[in-house]
Amino acid sequence: VFTGMNGSAIENFSCVIYNVSFMNCTWQAGRDAPEDTQYFLYWQNSRYVDKMECELYIKDENGRNTGCRFQNVKIETEKAYFLVNGSSKESLIQFYDECIELYKI
């Protein structure tokens, strides 16, 4: 069951890997997300390692996180799990998660 306000989860999530060890992920704020919504990205490239939060967020003109730059990425498995959750003082924010086959990135 998804908790949170409908339309508050991020949209258009995508990631690009370049120079072997760098990855950029970007997204857009949910169309119905309150203006104070802030998003946080976590990823895990194996079920045997802990989730890692983004260390270098890309921000929009309002200071909202709309992407992440990862450095020293080690691709150890074929799939990676991504989770973007959010917070707002106005309402609960739906999370977004996706398991991506890395060769498709």
Side-chain angles (χ1 to χ4, degrees):
V1 176
F2 288 101
T3 59
M5 185 175 74
N6 284 337
S8 62
I10 64 159
E11 300 174 355
N12 300 319
F13 181 82
S14 68
C15 295
V16 175
I17 295 174
Y18 61 98
N19 290 347
V20 182
S21 63
F22 297 94
M23 180 170 65
N24 281 2
C25 297
T26 58
W27 59 85
Q28 294 174 325
R31 61 190 168 281
D32 295 327
E35 285 189 23
D36 74 331
T37 302
Q38 187 58 278
Y39 295 103
F40 304 96
L41 171 65
Y42 299 86
W43 87 296
Q44 184 176 18
N45 66 352
S46 165
R47 72 177 62 183
Y48 305 107
V49 298
D50 292 334
K51 289 185 185 84
M52 296 175 282
E53 183 179 359
C54 174
E55 293 180 356
L56 184 59
Y57 282 105
I58 301 166
K59 297 182 179 287
D60 66 10
E61 62 277 358
N62 299 319
R64 185 184 300 194
N65 297 338
T66 55
C68 179
R69 291 186 178 100
F70 291 99
Q71 300 173 334
N72 303 318
V73 173
K74 290 187 174 70
I75 309 288
E76 298 169 353
T77 59
E78 293 179 4
K79 294 185 177 184
Y81 173 71
F82 295 87
L83 169 70
V84 181
N85 61 23
S87 65
S88 166
K89 291 178 182 168
E90 291 184 32
S91 69
L92 292 173
I93 304 301
Q94 288 180 329
F95 70 89
Y96 171 92
D97 67 339
E98 184 174 2
C99 189
I100 298 177
E101 294 181 8
L102 293 174
Y103 67 84
K104 290 184 177 179
I105 294 178

